[in-house]
Structure formats: structure tokens, C-alpha cells
Amino acid sequence: SARDMIRHIFHILILCRERNTLTDFFADKPTVKGVFKMVKISPSILACDFSRMGEEIKRIERFSDYLHVDVMDGIFVPNISFGMPVISSIRKTTDMFFDVHLMIDRPERYIDDFVKCGADLITIHYESTAVPAAVLKKIRACGKKAGLSIKPKTDVSVVLPLLPLCDLVLVMTVEPGFGGQKFIPYTLEKIKKLRTMLNEAGLTTDIEVDGGV
């Protein structure tokens, strides 16, 4: 339910605070005391009751910054979720920022379609296409924010030459495709390395984390 979605997100933030994880990773920022103001919450629509999708979204609007929309094709990941018609439908119910995460093969084929159905940010996987730079440029040319995601086993250094084309980098802390997985601890080092890379490049690119606890 929507309540469970919010409870889950808050649980993640509480765990991070207790373990000092967020403070450690944002210690190089000017205002550590304001660390939680720097965190955006983007609950996944996959966690909602699909029979009451519009109602569920309305219930989380005031608690959330974005709405995370996971699109899976059964090819790039071994699961299928939904596509453009569903996104177009829920776009009519809310003004929330749509954080659309494409876990699909060769996303370059569908960028125009996801733009038309209401995506605000489109994140593609580095591993899903032979031309990630071209796809990121295409997303931005359409007037949308561009994101790049990497799987847990992908070396974070692969994103370095693509960082100037990214508004966001999404680090998967579980294997993409299914909910309910356990958090993979070594991905924390990838997040830390990515933060260092962005700082050294003088970029303000957002870091998004997607996974379990």
C-alpha cells in the first residue's frame, strides 16, 4: 500500500542515520547538518496496489519528491512490468515528477515514446545499449533530464566519460528486475567512489540508489 511504501522509505533513512552512512558519504558537503534536506524520496510505483494506483499515488504526493517508475521488458531483466500506456494513464492523475527507470534492451528505440507519455527524468542502463552517450544526448535534446544506471557488478568507472551527459547516476544496490532483494553491501563503496568522481569533475550530478535493505 502507499503507507507501506512510505514506511519502507523512512525505514531506509532511519537505518542510514543510525549507521551514520549518509553523514559519511556527504561529509565533504558544505552542510552536513542539512544532509537529510539533500535527500530526495522517490518511492517505486511497483510497491503500490495496482487496483488502486491513482489513489495510492495521491496518498504519497506530499511525502515524496519523485515517483519512481520501473519499466521492465523481460529481456534486459527477467521480469515484465508495464509500459507507455500505464504511464500515460497515471500522468493524468498527478503532477509529480516522474522518475522513469528503463530496465529494457536498446532503450534508444523508445525515448520519444516515454517523453510523450509524461516522463520527466529518463534513466537508462549502461549495460542495455551499445550507444549510451547517444541515448543520453537524445533524452536531453527532448527537454528531459537524463540518468544513467549501472548494475551491482558493473565497475563504476565506466560512467566517468559519460558524466557530463548525466543529470543523475543510479547505482543499483540489488540486481535489477525484482523487488524484495537484500542490499548488497559492497555497492556502498561504488557510491563513495562515484561521489569522489563527481567532486573531482566539479559536477553537481545527483546520485540515486535503488535497492533493498
Side-chain angles (χ1 to χ4, degrees):
S1 69
R3 183 176 298 175
D4 290 332
M5 293 166 68
I6 295 301
R7 185 182 297 119
H8 180 66
I9 292 297
F10 285 160
H11 181 56
I12 291 173
L13 291 177
I14 289 168
L15 282 174
C16 287
R17 183 174 59 194
E18 291 175 349
R19 295 172 186 173
N20 211 31
T21 304
L22 287 176
T23 303
D24 288 344
F25 281 117
F26 289 95
D28 56 331
K29 289 294 184 180
T31 54
V32 175
K33 290 182 179 178
V35 63
F36 290 102
K37 293 181 181 179
M38 296 159 55
V39 175
K40 291 184 173 67
I41 297 176
S42 184
S44 173
I45 197 173
L46 286 180
C48 81
D49 178 348
F50 279 18
S51 68
R52 300 187 301 158
M53 191 178 293
E55 179 185 340
E56 297 267 82
I57 292 170
K58 284 295 181 185
R59 291 176 66 186
I60 67 166
E61 282 182 340
R62 67 191 183 97
F63 300 106
S64 310
D65 299 285
Y66 298 165
L67 182 66
H68 194 77
V69 183
D70 289 304
V71 180
M72 299 181 278
D73 65 355
I75 300 173
F76 179 68
V77 293
N79 201 0
I80 298 173
S81 58
F82 43 75
M84 287 76 78
V86 170
I87 299 174
S88 293
S89 295
I90 62 174
R91 178 77 283 177
K92 299 172 185 176
T93 70
T94 181
D95 293 326
M96 288 188 74
F97 184 97
F98 278 15
D99 168 15
V100 178
H101 179 193
L102 301 184
M103 290 174 273
I104 65 175
D105 184 55
R106 291 176 290 154
E108 56 268 25
R109 298 175 294 165
Y110 301 108
I111 298 304
D112 286 330
D113 296 311
F114 282 105
V115 168
K116 290 175 184 176
C117 72
D120 295 296
L121 162 70
I122 300 175
T123 297
I124 63 164
H125 267 265
Y126 174 84
E127 307 90 351
S128 70
T129 175
V131 288
V135 185
L136 293 168
K137 289 177 182 177
K138 169 70 172 178
I139 295 169
R140 283 184 160 185
C142 291
K144 303 299 179 180
K145 290 191 174 182
L148 183 66
S149 181
I150 52 173
K151 292 181 178 182
K153 293 180 182 178
T154 300
D155 192 320
V156 70
S157 62
V158 300
V159 307
L160 183 58
L162 299 167
L163 288 179
L165 302 174
C166 300
D167 297 291
L168 173 148
V169 178
L170 168 56
V171 178
M172 294 297 300
T173 57
V174 296
E175 289 296 332
F178 292 95
Q181 298 181 63
K182 290 186 177 180
F183 179 84
I184 300 173
Y186 70 74
T187 57
L188 285 174
E189 287 305 314
K190 296 176 65 175
I191 298 168
K192 185 176 181 180
K193 183 176 179 180
L194 175 59
R195 178 75 271 160
T196 299
M197 289 164 54
L198 290 170
N199 288 348
E200 290 177 349
L203 296 171
T204 57
T205 310
D206 289 335
I207 297 175
E208 185 171 24
V209 178
D210 188 342
V213 235

